[in-house]
Amino acid sequence: LISSPGVMIDLTSGTLTGDVVESEKRLKDLAGVFVNESLRARMDPATIIYRVQTHVAEKEGMEGGLFYGTSFVYPGLVGDEYFMTKGHFHSKIDRAEYYWCIQGEGMLILMDIHGKCWAEKMVAGSLHYISGYIAHRIANTGRSLLAVGACWPSDAGHDYKTITDKGFMARLRKIDGVPQLIPVR
Ligand code: PAN
Ligand code: ZN
């Protein structure tokens, strides 16, 4: 009647062990994601930008279920733009999500359906509610690994195309040594 946990989360690093699906994105996988695409294309394609560990507790697309994931974003820059995730709206665009920062320093970059952007600072322990209709991505603004926990509905899905086609309307750039959210063009 009593079972052992099928998955463990290390509370200081965010690392999952057990029943977990792993994925990673290297610079070669991120064409068009950074403002300076020609620089990205000239950098080492094998550079790892982020990894995600997901506990897939339900079938993808199942209504009423939840997924858990830890995202790890590495420190670094493409020019003056911080390493970051691709970012997405949810395919079921009204689906919300929680993010919380486990270690490192970062920024949660948000954009509404009209292209208005804003950002929230992430430090270990910060909790971030992302309501539906809001695109979201995370950037590492520190010198160490950024780990962010996330919980989202298993029927949310990921709409990357809207971001691939239009991009975020503002970019997080290191200017005078500090992160600033700068409108595109
Ligand atoms: C997160 C993201 C994760 C990777 O789990 O999927 O941070 O970012 P991209 O999916 O934009 O590459 C989430 O928001 N899930 O819904
Ligand atoms: Zn999401």
Side-chain angles (χ1 to χ4, degrees):
L1 291 174
I2 299 173
S3 64
S4 297
V7 58
M8 294 291 291
I9 175 164
D10 182 298
L11 293 176
T12 51
S13 69
T15 301
L16 296 183
T17 48
D19 181 9
V20 169
V21 174
E22 311 265 354
S23 73
E24 62 172 35
K25 291 277 184 286
R26 296 176 185 259
L27 264 186
K28 65 176 162 59
D29 307 314
L30 300 175
V33 169
F34 296 91
V35 159
N36 195 339
E37 167 59 17
S38 62
L39 176 58
R40 183 211 61 87
R42 276 180 279 124
M43 291 169 67
D44 181 356
T47 306
I48 183 150
I49 307 301
Y50 63 98
R51 294 189 291 114
V52 185
Q53 295 187 302
T54 310
H55 178 53
V56 185
E58 300 283 7
K59 237 179 112 179
E60 175 83 43
M62 140 114 185
E63 201 173 317
L66 296 170
F67 290 144
Y68 172 82
T70 305
S71 299
F72 302 90
V73 185
Y74 288 72
L77 295 160
V78 176
D80 62 7
E81 192 174 16
Y82 296 95
F83 283 5
M84 61 182 177
T85 59
K86 286 167 75 169
H88 55 267
F89 288 98
H90 290 149
S91 303
K92 284 191 181 168
I93 197 168
D94 67 348
R95 296 306 195 253
E97 181 161 6
Y98 268 112
Y99 274 9
W100 57 98
C101 183
I102 298 168
Q103 61 160 325
E105 278 172 50
M107 201 74 81
L108 170 61
I109 306 162
L110 301 159
M111 181 174 75
D112 72 13
I113 54 173
H114 308 292
K116 192 187 114 198
C117 292
W118 67 103
E120 295 177 15
K121 281 187 185 175
M122 305 185 104
V123 294
S126 63
L127 180 67
H128 308 267
Y129 178 70
I130 304 161
S131 52
Y133 300 91
I134 304 296
H136 41 284
R137 74 165 23 142
I138 50 179
N140 187 336
T141 57
R143 292 174 188 203
S144 61
L145 190 66
L146 171 69
V148 173
C151 186
W152 69 98
S154 46
D155 67 344
H158 296 97
D159 165 21
Y160 294 106
K161 194 176 181 302
T162 308
I163 302 302
T164 312
D165 292 353
K166 294 184 179 165
F168 271 62
M169 294 296 114
R171 300 314 187 100
L172 195 73
R173 306 174 87 146
K174 186 175 186 175
I175 294 174
D176 300 329
V178 293
Q180 294 191 34
L181 195 63
I182 309 289
V184 176
R185 249 157 280 178

